[in-house]
Amino acid sequence: MRKKILATTAMAAVAVLALSGCATGGETASEGSGELQIDVPDIAMQEELGDYEGEVNIVAWSGFVEPAWSDAFTAETGCVVNRRVAGTSDEMVQLMRTGDYDLVSASGDASLRLIAGGDVQPLNLDLIPNFGDDIVEGMKGQIYDTINGKSYGIPIGRGANILQYDSDVVTEEPTSWDVAWEKDSPYAGKVIAYDAPIYIADAAVYLMAHEPDLGITNPYALDEKQLKAAVELLKQQNEIVSEYWSDPAAQITSFAGGTTVLGTSWEVLRKLTEDDRFKSVLPEEGSTGWSDAWMLAAESKSPNCAYAWMDYSSSPEVNGAIAMNFGMAPANAAFCDTSEEAKAHCDYFNATDEEYFKKVWFWTTPIEQCIDGRTDVTCTNFQQWTDAWLSVKG
């Protein structure tokens, strides 16, 4: 199981992004995407496929590249798959910058770093036939991997950061995140929270609903005043938190052992507890979430094998197998119609329910350009979020 952890290193490449336009905004989380206009390295897009190079080197989350699929791919194309499992987004960025890897299964908290750093190249979607009508609309053209009208990512899967609770203790289903944020929560001292700077966005989502005068319209676009308000809320929550988690196994143990009775979780973690008393809900304020995509190295030594893998792994069968193996909503909705088991999986993870995902703000690297469209202020970048998170944790 991966740990999508944002490390505490500075992201210099992102910090120097220059403003060259505005991102389009929307009224809901998933509609808050658009074609982000920023200055990025001008890297050519591959125009046509050539001969396969014989191998492809992939950095991926655990469970994304398994022998059952890679062996079949090798038999079909002759491209041997060399997999390197990474545990954090920061590790993925570092590995991609070595020049030793062709593909990465990047989350939205790493995508802009890779694009801004010139580490990945724009993709020719015409060379990926399985990227077609069956890819769910909510994973196309998103702000974290579509820059200046160019696509840099092929969707793999997505998930929401939901409110999980122990129904033996929390006997009435919560409708709001207030039970996890307010100091008078009846579950004070039994609340678990995610341990990463990107968790600041969760506080921002709550403030969007409860303190509208702050003017937050995108939780990843915070000016200094808005960031300060989010930090104050996080420090307030710190007083009622039982523990912070980054290791999924530790989070499961915390719930199972009774140390925690509610808090932020991934949908798959509730399933993995294998105990019916643990339930989850997407509260009325909405939530943050994550979306993963294949990204191709700018200096890939095996771009043809890499394109072949992106197409192969985007097929309903393989994309669905990845989604079921990891525990997330697949990108290819056609998988949901392949079997009763597939349908049940898609229903559990709300795979084709765009109304559900309209309430989810997918992780996006905070940068100085305000991606909510504001041009009269400078927004805070990831380094500032990292410093702020350290102040929350003490």
Side-chain angles (χ1 to χ4, degrees), residues 171-226:
T171 55
E172 184 175 342
E173 181 179 85
T175 60
S176 169
W177 282 104
D178 58 2
V179 291
W181 287 103
E182 300 296 344
K183 57 186 176 183
D184 61 352
S185 168
Y187 311 107
K190 295 282 189 176
V191 176
I192 197 167
Y194 191 56
D195 190 3
I198 202 68
Y199 186 61
I200 291 172
D202 292 66
V205 168
Y206 187 75
L207 291 172
M208 286 170 66
H210 295 275
E211 294 190 31
D213 289 346
L214 286 169
I216 301 173
T217 60
N218 185 308
Y220 305 101
L222 304 181
D223 59 35
E224 290 188 5
K225 178 182 177 182
Q226 293 164 341

Side-chain angles (χ1 to χ4, degrees), residues 61-72 81 83 85 309 322 325:
W61 299 118
S62 177
F64 276 41
V65 182
E66 296 301 305
W69 318 318
S70 57
D71 290 350
V81 177
R83 179 191 67 171
V85 174
W309 173 265
I322 294 171
N325 192 50

Side-chain angles (χ1 to χ4, degrees), residues 67-336:
W69 318 318
S70 57
D71 290 350
F73 172 74
T74 300
E76 180 180 314
T77 63
C79 300
V80 175
V81 177
N82 302 312
R83 179 191 67 171
R84 169 71 179 265
V85 174
T88 70
S89 288
D90 195 65
E91 182 184 1
M92 285 188 170
V93 172
Q94 293 173 0
L95 288 171
M96 287 299 287
R97 288 177 176 167
T98 66
D100 295 333
Y101 298 93
D102 303 293
L103 285 172
V104 61
S105 61
S107 296
D109 55 0
S111 301
L112 286 183
R113 280 187 273 177
L114 292 167
I115 296 169
D119 304 301
V120 293
Q121 61 180 272
L123 299 173
N124 187 339
L125 301 182
D126 291 338
L127 304 182
I128 308 172
N130 281 316
F131 185 91
D133 294 338
D134 291 325
I135 301 297
V136 294
E137 287 301 316
M139 295 187 71
K140 292 180 179 179
Q142 290 297 312
I143 203 168
Y144 43 79
D145 61 15
T146 300
I147 305 298
N148 303 340
K150 298 178 181 179
S151 176
Y152 288 80
I154 297 301
I156 306 169
R158 58 181 173 175
N161 297 321
I162 43 79
L163 176 61
Q164 180 169 305
Y165 62 97
D166 183 341
S167 63
D168 282 354
V169 180
V170 185
T171 55
E172 184 175 342
E173 181 179 85
T175 60
S176 169
W177 282 104
D178 58 2
V179 291
W181 287 103
E182 300 296 344
K183 57 186 176 183
D184 61 352
S185 168
Y187 311 107
K190 295 282 189 176
V191 176
I192 197 167
Y194 191 56
D195 190 3
I198 202 68
Y199 186 61
I200 291 172
D202 292 66
V205 168
Y206 187 75
L207 291 172
M208 286 170 66
H210 295 275
E211 294 190 31
D213 289 346
L214 286 169
I216 301 173
T217 60
N218 185 308
Y220 305 101
L222 304 181
D223 59 35
E224 290 188 5
K225 178 182 177 182
Q226 293 164 341
L227 177 61
K228 181 179 178 181
V231 169
E232 289 175 354
L233 179 60
L234 286 157
K235 288 181 177 179
Q236 173 180 289
Q237 187 195 45
N238 179 264
E239 298 177 5
I240 66 170
V241 165
S242 56
E243 60 184 289
Y244 292 91
W245 72 277
S246 57
D247 181 350
Q251 193 254 29
I252 292 172
T253 299
S254 184
F255 268 98
T259 302
T260 293
V261 299
L262 64 80
T264 303
S265 182
W266 300 335
E267 292 152 310
V268 67
L269 299 186
R270 172 170 65 87
K271 195 171 187 179
L272 291 174
T273 58
E274 298 181 344
D275 191 325
D276 289 341
R277 81 177 193 268
F278 298 113
K279 303 183 184 303
S280 64
V281 63
L282 181 63
E284 59 192 11
E285 297 93 350
S287 76
T288 60
W290 45 269
S291 180
D292 297 331
W294 298 115
M295 304 187 84
L296 176 60
E299 301 295 333
S300 170
K301 300 179 180 64
S302 301
N304 298 299
C305 281
Y307 264 99
W309 173 265
M310 287 188 286
D311 187 52
Y312 169 81
S313 61
S314 296
S315 68
E317 296 78 13
V318 180
N319 179 249
I322 294 171
M324 290 189 71
N325 192 50
F326 178 72
M328 62 182 174
N332 195 322
F335 165 72
C336 302

